[in-house]
Amino acid sequence: MAVAGSSRKPAQDSPSRQLLWELNRLVLSEQEEFYGRLDRESQQREAAHKSALAEAIARHDKVRNDAEAERDRHEKQQQQERAQREEEQRQEAERERQAKLEQERTERRRLAERAEAAARAERAATQEREAEEARVKAEKHRRDARAIQEKKEEQEAAERKRVLDKRKAKEATLAAAAAPSAPTSKTIQPTTSQSTARILQKPTLDPGREAEHQRYLGIHQTLKELRKFMTQQAKQNPILKEKMGDMRRELRKSVGQLREGKGKNTAQVSAPTATSCEKRIDFRDQNNAIMSVLREALKSFPEPKVSLAKFVARPIEDVQAPALVIYLLNHLSKAIISQLIKEASVSPRLAEPIGVAAVNFFAREDFRVNGVSLIDILIAKYHVVCPPLFGIYGSESTDQGRERLGWWREEAGGPWISEQLHQDRMTGLGAGYAAISLRTFENSKMTNPYPPYNFWRALATILNVPAGQVTDTHFVLVRALIENSEQRFLMFFGDTAKQLMRFAIMEYPKRASKDSVAAKVLSNLGNTMKKDKKLYL
């Protein structure tokens, strides 16, 4: 082994020893090569391991850096969101603070306005007391002056009454001598069975009828002038201005509550007899409210006065009437017309309580001047909104004709309302006219301000329109006048009414064009009367 461990070749040795040395040398060389290879492989594996470790460390560092960056981004986002929430909370707190300040300012302003209103009310009350005291003093002076004048006027009035009574007695004597014998029945009807034919053959639209229409239109124009006059008076008298506004509102409200239904306006229909054909309609609350307004006007504002002759169609003595009462009756009439268009155009039966109330107001002695009813104020408005009831006719295809028929516009100078709206208006107005004119005062102390002959006259006038001038407006009005009023019509005019209704329902629609729906509806009214009311024409 010592030989094997030597690296030097012996100089002189036996061949065997030299062979052994060479063999040993060969073994050593292989061992060195083997171990050298092992070292190289170990170094290579070590380098690979170090490279893999470095790569792993790099990936780990990358993951850690990414995680730290994500954490930083998340923390920054949370900080931004937290800052945004804090800003929103700050703004909300600021808004609440501003709202609270605004509420406090509003409350202070309201208290200031309330205090100012109380002060104004106190000043107004003081002014009202002073004005009332001045009015009482002035009224006392007027009464004293009037007392002196009235004594003289009483003598003059007595003389005028004597002359007037004498003239009326003479006219009554002449009328009795010229008139045919009256029927023995209480039924108001023409004296012969041929009366219907005579009326229907009478020419329509004569100059007298047109002149009468113009007189009523003149009354309507005078009422407009009165309205302007009272507006000027109100500007000069604050108390009158306030009262006028309150009174108008009360009239509109009370008329708006005149309708059939449960409660105060319940309508109970009795059997159609001479004394009970009327619908007993309880509108006491509304009636009392309206009467209270009119009586207050009559009592509290007797001045200024206007000539009554301007508001009555027939010639009368020129007497003076309180302007405010005429003004309020004008507004009452306007409210009645408006309510008829609003309610009765949808359901014609609702015209009944409105008509009963209207006639009741104008029949009362409180609002007659020297026995003259002021219902012409209401009829003047009817002449404006529904001229065909008084013999006025025209073509529905022209502007002038539509104006003569009472066809309304959507606004002054604007387009015409639709045909359906026009027919609805005519339905409500026709039903209202029947409710106003077909009233009996047989068991009342009051005098009927608009007797039933006005109904006959309106219906006959429409039926007398020449065939070439008949329009759908006429068919709608005829149906509105007759429907729901048949029993009262028969009560007043008996068999003659039945003859007129037979002509109106069966013959009159034949004057229409073939495509007239209104005429067909009118012609079907007879079947409806048979089915629902057992009334056979």
Side-chain angles (χ1 to χ4, degrees):
M1 296 300 296
V3 175
S6 174
S7 61
R8 292 179 300 172
K9 184 177 179 182
Q12 292 179 357
D13 211 344
S14 61
S16 58
R17 189 176 291 276
Q18 290 181 0
L19 180 60
L20 180 60
W21 181 85
E22 290 178 0
L23 289 172
N24 188 34
R25 183 66 181 173
L26 180 60
V27 170
L28 288 175
S29 177
E30 290 178 354
Q31 286 181 347
E32 289 177 357
E33 183 179 355
F34 173 73
Y35 284 117
R37 188 169 62 252
L38 288 178
D39 290 340
R40 287 193 301 275
E41 291 177 354
S42 177
Q43 290 175 357
Q44 291 175 355
R45 283 194 296 271
E46 182 179 2
H49 289 163
K50 288 181 178 179
S51 176
L53 181 61
E55 184 179 352
I57 290 172
R59 284 199 301 270
H60 176 73
D61 290 342
K62 184 178 183 303
V63 170
R64 186 186 64 221
N65 292 335
D66 292 344
E68 289 176 351
E70 180 64 22
R71 182 195 62 193
D72 294 342
R73 187 190 65 77
H74 183 66
E75 288 178 351
K76 185 177 181 181
Q77 182 179 358
Q78 286 183 332
Q79 290 176 356
Q80 291 176 348
E81 292 177 352
R82 184 164 53 253
Q84 184 177 357
R85 285 196 301 270
E86 290 174 354
E87 178 64 20
E88 290 176 352
Q89 291 174 356
R90 187 190 65 79
Q91 292 178 358
E92 180 64 23
E94 179 64 20
R95 283 195 297 270
E96 291 178 355
R97 188 180 69 83
Q98 292 294 337
K100 185 176 180 180
L101 291 175
E102 181 63 25
Q103 184 178 1
E104 292 175 355
R105 285 194 294 267
T106 303
E107 184 64 25
R108 287 195 298 270
R109 188 163 55 250
R110 185 183 299 111
L111 292 175
E113 290 175 353
R114 190 177 301 168
E116 179 63 21
R120 284 198 305 269
E122 180 64 25
R123 289 194 298 270
T126 302
Q127 293 174 357
E128 183 176 354
R129 285 194 302 271
E130 293 174 352
E132 179 65 18
E133 291 174 358
R135 188 189 67 80
V136 170
K137 291 180 180 179
E139 182 64 22
K140 184 177 183 299
H141 289 312
R142 282 196 298 270
R143 284 198 303 268
D144 294 342
R146 192 180 303 164
I148 299 172
Q149 183 68 19
E150 283 178 354
K151 187 173 182 181
K152 181 179 179 182
E153 291 179 351
E154 284 177 0
Q155 297 175 351
E156 296 176 353
E159 179 62 21
R160 287 196 301 270
K161 186 175 183 301
R162 185 184 65 79
V163 174
L164 182 62
D165 290 343
K166 184 177 180 180
R167 184 168 64 248
K168 286 182 178 179
K170 183 177 180 180
E171 291 175 353
T173 302
L174 294 174
S181 58
T184 57
S185 170
K186 291 183 179 180
T187 301
I188 304 173
Q189 60 182 11
T191 56
T192 69
S193 60
Q194 287 78 24
S195 297
T196 304
R198 289 203 303 273
I199 289 176
L200 295 178
Q201 293 169 0
K202 180 182 177 182
T204 320
L205 200 58
D206 53 32
R209 186 64 55 84
E210 183 71 28
E212 178 185 1
H213 179 60
Q214 292 302 322
R215 282 200 303 274
Y216 277 100
L217 294 183
I219 292 175
H220 186 263
Q221 186 61 37
T222 305
L223 289 167
K224 287 185 176 182
E225 295 171 0
L226 174 65
R227 185 171 59 192
K228 294 178 182 178
F229 170 74
M230 292 304 297
T231 302
Q232 292 297 327
Q233 291 293 313
K235 290 180 180 179
Q236 302 171 12
N237 187 342
I239 300 176
L240 176 61
K241 181 178 180 180
E242 180 181 359
K243 284 293 184 180
M244 278 175 54
D246 294 341
M247 289 174 174
R248 287 199 310 269
R249 286 187 288 273
E250 182 62 32
L251 289 179
R252 284 197 300 268
K253 182 187 74 172
S254 298
V255 173
Q257 295 171 349
L258 294 173
R259 64 180 66 185
E260 289 185 338
K262 295 181 179 180
K264 289 295 182 183
N265 288 331
T266 300
Q268 301 171 342
V269 183
S270 305
T273 64
T275 58
S276 63
C277 186
E278 292 288 317
K279 285 188 176 181
R280 296 196 301 274
I281 301 175
D282 184 0
F283 47 86
R284 286 171 294 181
D285 288 352
Q286 293 75 24
N287 179 70
N288 291 338
I290 294 173
M291 297 303 296
S292 176
V293 168
L294 296 175
R295 283 172 178 154
E296 181 183 2
L298 191 63
K299 178 180 178 182
S300 302
F301 299 94
E303 300 289 343
K305 293 183 181 293
V306 292
S307 172
L308 183 63
K310 298 179 180 180
F311 306 99
V312 179
R314 65 184 184 278
I316 61 170
E317 289 187 41
D318 188 10
V319 296
Q320 300 292 305
L324 181 59
V325 174
I326 305 295
Y327 172 84
L328 292 176
L329 288 175
N330 179 40
H331 274 278
L332 176 63
S333 301
K334 183 177 180 180
I336 289 170
I337 295 292
S338 177
Q339 189 71 0
L340 286 172
I341 294 173
K342 177 182 177 182
E343 299 286 348
S345 62
V346 179
S347 177
R349 194 179 299 273
L350 296 179
E352 190 70 8
I354 303 172
V356 172
V359 175
N360 179 70
F361 300 139
F362 288 103
R364 290 184 173 272
E365 291 296 330
D366 310 51
F367 309 113
R368 287 176 175 265
V369 181
N370 286 3
V372 178
S373 170
L374 299 177
I375 198 169
D376 281 351
I377 295 174
L378 174 61
I379 303 305
K381 293 194 176 297
Y382 251 104
H383 273 265
V384 173
V385 297
C386 196
L389 288 172
F390 310 98
I392 307 302
Y393 55 79
S395 173
E396 292 184 343
S397 59
T398 66
D399 288 350
Q400 183 181 5
R402 287 190 169 193
E403 288 178 356
R404 288 179 63 80
L405 288 171
W407 201 304
W408 223 240
R409 294 181 184 269
E410 293 180 2
E411 57 184 14
W416 300 103
I417 62 175
S418 66
E419 182 178 6
Q420 184 60 53
L421 285 178
H422 169 68
Q423 293 186 4
D424 289 344
R425 284 171 58 88
M426 293 297 106
T427 298
L429 293 169
Y433 189 85
I436 291 170
S437 56
L438 288 177
R439 302 256 70 89
T440 177
F441 281 69
E442 190 176 56
N443 298 321
S444 173
K445 295 180 180 179
M446 296 185 294
T447 302
N448 190 344
Y450 205 65
Y453 66 75
N454 289 288
F455 176 87
W456 176 281
R457 183 187 184 196
L459 182 56
T461 296
I462 295 175
L463 298 179
N464 273 320
V465 173
Q469 298 292 336
V470 176
T471 64
D472 283 354
T473 299
H474 296 102
F475 297 125
V476 171
L477 278 174
V478 170
R479 182 173 185 268
L481 287 169
I482 296 176
E483 191 175 21
N484 301 315
S485 302
E486 310 93 334
Q487 297 294 347
R488 291 198 309 277
F489 192 20
L490 290 170
M491 182 190 76
F492 285 114
F493 297 101
D495 290 338
T496 312
K498 183 177 290 189
Q499 296 173 19
L500 193 60
M501 285 192 291
R502 182 186 301 116
F503 176 86
I505 295 173
M506 297 181 180
E507 300 298 328
Y508 190 59
K510 295 178 182 179
R511 299 183 182 181
S513 59
K514 294 183 179 179
D515 58 348
S516 174
V517 176
K520 294 177 182 178
V521 173
L522 173 59
S523 63
N524 192 49
L525 181 59
N527 295 329
T528 303
M529 292 163 61
K530 291 178 186 178
K531 179 181 177 182
D532 297 343
K533 303 181 180 179
K534 309 303 179 187
L535 180 59
Y536 297 87
L537 299 178

